[in-house]
Amino acid sequence: MDKGWGLTLENKPFFGFNHMMNRREEQLVADHHDKKEVDFFSHHNRKPIHHDFIKKEDSNATTITTPSEFIVNTGLQLVTASDQSTVDDGISSEIILEEERAKNELAQLQVELRRMNAENQRLRGMLTQVTNNYTALQMHLATLMQQQQISTTQNTHDQIVEAKFDQENIVPRRFLELGRSGNDLSHNSHSSSEERTVSKSPRNDTQVTRHNKAAGREESPESESWVPNKVPKLNSSMPIDQTTDATMRKTRVSVRARSEAPMISDGCQWRKYGQKMAKGNPCPRAYYRCTMAVGCPVRKQVQRCAEDRTILNTTYEGTHNHPLPPAAMAMASTTSAAANMLLSGSMSSADETLMNPNFLARTMLPCSSSMATISASAPFPTITLDLTQNQNSLTYNQRSTPISQFQIPFQSSPQHPNFITSMPPPPMPQVLHNQSKFSGLQISQDIHQPQQLQHVQNNRSFSDTLTAATAAITADPNFTAALAAAISSIITGPGKEQ
DNA sequence: CGCCTTTGACCGGCGC
DNA sequence: GCGCCGGTCAAAGGCG
């Protein structure tokens, strides 16, 4: 103990401070002693603690209550550290013991802190996993509900019951129909294809299709799986279900994004099955098919923009018929959500007349018409998400509708959990509710459906769409960086970027 | 060897 | 009916 000091009060160890101890360590040691002692030395003698020590002339124990009493009653003198050799050796050893004890406690605290950090990490991992599982279960539930609905519609007795239910209680029936998302509808057709392809390879399936075509398409449309996009013309005379089903298969989601890569990463496995030169664009259009499961009907077209070759235009079509990895979960819901948004409810020819694309685009996204547009022009309705305009669009969104589109992705993007945790909960319902008051489709649906339910439906669809597409885009490092920069500009202050 | 890409042929829809 | 066009097929070849 070369640079310490100490004395005994009531024959107990009083203080033992190492010159090198920091303030936290001092406090840890002091916490074990009387409060007055702590107050005394921390408030009145902080500096002398380190440079001086008190020499006790009388070996008898002395009771000290206040600093002044300490001085007055004991007659102790403040001496310099150079005199520390006169300190009793017994006292020094006690001080050392106390110091060791404090160090041990500090070490224990540090160990505890590390353990808690590790626990925190583990819990975060569990939370992420639970979130992913929840999403997967949601998809599974939708599939099961669809299967149940198929069996229901195939059962004559059930049909009768259902018809009675329709007559007696129209609103609940509508609610059930609302539950049929694009996903469900797609699965409707997929399920039959799955049954058929259980013992067949995709090639065989293709051959069957070809055979059917050669045979004059004798097979019913419902038995087709991802059969050709040689879509039957939308005929208003067709039964509503068939019309909707056919249109649903054709509903597309297009994503415009800047990328040097030949294809944006969306978490799925794709196989190229064709390439064509499309009219009006010197860049070839590539055709890809999802290969994550046999018979998956999802396809996508990739083509570079003629005006700006750095812009990649990816068009998705169809709904996956298989579980998806978290990275692909987002885009998986895109097509069905978009289809649902565009086509929820039946689309009659009268509805189509209401679908003025410009009107849809403006009314649906009043704050960002440059970002997302809807084209209902023939042959199929398409929603286009333009993510090539980052800064300006973001700024505009920030000002007009606080935390709107670009907050959505952070909730569900499995690729960027950090974003999820770092962003505050968004005022989604309000924002999306406003956004949902829009399209001609909405108008047409109002004829059949309770308005409030439609808002819920469209809110979900639209948020799913934007979430999915943006999350898919963020899977690409280039876009992630661009988005991160834009987001950071928002977080650091919207006013600064003006 | 299996999977993937390439690429010319083929098919059906559509407009004239 | 013909030709254009988008979309798909499938053989051939490449690649790991």
Side-chain angles (χ1 to χ4, degrees):
Chain A
M1 188 74 190
D2 50 0
K3 289 189 178 178
W5 69 276
L7 74 163
T8 299
L9 296 177
E10 296 176 330
N11 295 323
K12 291 180 181 176
F14 186 31
F15 269 105
F17 287 113
N18 187 291
H19 180 68
M20 300 302 290
M21 285 176 77
N22 59 28
R23 190 169 180 158
R24 169 67 183 148
E25 291 167 333
E26 290 175 19
Q27 187 61 45
L28 276 171
V29 176
D31 284 346
H32 295 288
H33 298 280
D34 184 72
K35 186 176 185 300
K36 287 176 182 175
E37 296 166 357
V38 174
D39 288 343
F40 168 45
F41 286 99
S42 61
H43 291 241
H44 300 277
N45 271 341
R46 165 95 28 212
K47 188 174 179 181
I49 280 172
H50 297 286
H51 299 285
D52 301 324
F53 69 91
I54 298 170
K55 178 181 178 182
K56 188 179 181 187
E57 293 181 330
D58 188 350
S59 61
N60 295 329
T62 306
T63 300
I64 306 296
T65 53
T66 66
S68 56
E69 285 175 4
F70 181 81
I71 303 293
V72 172
N73 296 342
T74 64
L76 294 177
Q77 299 173 355
L78 292 177
V79 296
T80 62
S82 59
D83 293 332
Q84 63 182 311
S85 60
T86 61
V87 174
D88 179 61
D89 287 342
I91 295 175
S92 296
S93 61
E94 289 173 351
I95 291 171
I96 292 171
L97 285 174
E98 188 67 23
E99 185 178 328
E100 286 298 320
R101 197 173 125 196
K103 283 182 180 177
N104 288 339
E105 286 197 17
L106 180 63
Q108 286 176 5
L109 284 172
Q110 288 172 343
V111 169
E112 182 72 8
L113 183 62
R114 277 194 289 268
R115 194 187 63 79
M116 290 179 68
N117 282 337
E119 178 77 3
N120 193 19
Q121 290 283 345
R122 194 178 64 83
L123 289 173
R124 282 188 186 180
M126 286 175 63
L127 178 62
T128 304
Q129 190 173 0
V130 166
T131 305
N132 292 339
N133 289 343
Y134 172 72
T135 311
L137 279 174
Q138 272 190 320
M139 291 188 65
H140 187 57
L141 177 63
T143 305
L144 289 177
M145 287 175 67
Q146 172 58 28
Q147 288 172 353
Q148 187 175 8
Q149 191 160 7
I150 291 171
S151 62
T152 299
T153 53
Q154 286 173 347
N155 188 312
T156 308
H157 175 72
D158 285 351
Q159 284 178 345
I160 295 171
V161 172
E162 205 169 277
K164 286 183 180 177
F165 186 71
D166 270 351
Q167 292 173 353
E168 295 168 1
N169 196 345
I170 293 176
V171 173
R173 171 64 177 155
R174 299 299 179 199
F175 181 78
L176 286 175
E177 287 179 349
L178 275 172
R180 290 185 63 179
S181 66
N183 205 347
D184 297 334
L185 287 169
S186 296
H187 276 294
N188 211 351
S189 59
H190 301 160
S191 58
S192 60
S193 75
E194 286 177 35
E195 289 170 9
R196 198 185 54 183
T197 57
V198 163
S199 60
K200 292 177 181 175
S201 69
R203 285 283 183 229
N204 290 339
D205 191 81
T206 303
Q207 288 162 1
V208 169
T209 303
R210 285 223 149 193
H211 176 74
N212 290 341
K213 280 193 276 187
R217 291 177 175 271
E218 290 177 359
E219 201 166 343
S220 69
E222 287 184 0
S223 67
E224 296 179 4
S225 60
W226 45 272
V227 196
N229 282 336
K230 309 185 170 144
V231 196
K233 205 197 267 183
L234 293 182
N235 188 346
S236 58
S237 64
M238 284 175 70
I240 286 176
D241 282 350
Q242 288 182 17
T243 308
T244 305
D245 189 56
T247 310
M248 191 65 72
R249 280 200 303 268
K250 295 310 301 174
T251 305
R252 293 174 169 180
V253 178
S254 179
V255 179
R256 276 169 58 87
R258 293 188 187 280
S259 176
E260 300 301 321
M263 202 167 68
I264 63 174
S265 165
D266 48 25
C268 281
Q269 294 175 358
W270 302 95
R271 176 175 177 167
K272 191 176 183 177
Y273 66 89
Q275 179 168 310
K276 289 281 285 189
M277 294 301 296
K279 194 180 180 183
N281 191 335
C283 304
R285 176 185 299 163
Y287 299 88
Y288 294 88
R289 174 182 299 141
C290 177
T291 59
M292 293 191 77
V294 173
C296 179
V298 176
R299 295 173 182 193
K300 74 174 181 180
Q301 300 176 6
V302 179
Q303 187 175 31
R304 292 209 171 272
C305 181
E307 292 78 17
D308 187 350
R309 305 289 175 95
T310 63
I311 296 177
L312 205 58
N313 207 343
T314 306
T315 304
Y316 294 86
E317 177 188 325
T319 305
H320 293 279
N321 66 350
H322 53 85
L324 290 168
M329 199 73 78
M331 186 53 83
S333 64
T334 302
T335 52
S336 62
N340 188 27
M341 177 176 63
L342 292 173
L343 298 165
S344 54
S346 61
M347 188 164 81
S348 64
S349 57
D351 291 334
E352 290 178 81
T353 62
L354 293 171
M355 289 180 63
N356 179 321
N358 293 330
F359 173 71
L360 286 176
R362 284 198 307 270
T363 52
M364 177 181 165
L365 295 167
C367 62
S368 60
S369 58
S370 63
M371 253 190 65
T373 57
I374 297 175
S375 168
S377 59
F380 358 86
T382 303
I383 180 169
T384 302
L385 292 152
D386 189 348
L387 291 123
T388 59
Q389 308 170 36
N390 43 20
Q391 194 72 31
N392 291 338
S393 294
L394 281 167
T395 303
Y396 188 53
N397 289 335
Q398 167 75 10
R399 292 170 57 189
S400 54
T401 53
I403 318 178
S404 55
Q405 284 87 352
F406 278 85
Q407 181 136 21
I408 301 169
F410 304 142
Q411 289 186 302
S412 64
S413 170
Q415 307 262 342
H416 302 287
N418 291 339
F419 279 168
I420 299 174
T421 55
S422 63
M423 297 296 283
M428 286 277 296
Q430 178 67 34
V431 172
L432 291 171
H433 178 80
N434 292 338
Q435 288 174 340
S436 71
K437 297 176 179 175
F438 60 116
S439 68
L441 280 176
Q442 177 78 37
I443 295 168
S444 67
Q445 291 161 7
D446 284 347
I447 300 170
H448 310 292
Q449 301 170 349
Q451 193 169 6
Q452 199 166 2
L453 288 176
Q454 288 171 35
H455 282 160
V456 172
Q457 172 89 347
N458 286 307
N459 287 350
R460 284 191 191 144
S461 303
F462 184 58
S463 65
D464 284 349
T465 302
L466 285 176
T467 298
T470 312
I473 292 303
T474 56
D476 183 292
N478 294 335
F479 294 113
T480 305
L483 278 175
I487 290 151
S488 130
S489 71
I490 289 176
I491 294 172
T492 51
K496 295 175 183 176
E497 57 187 52
Q498 302 301 319

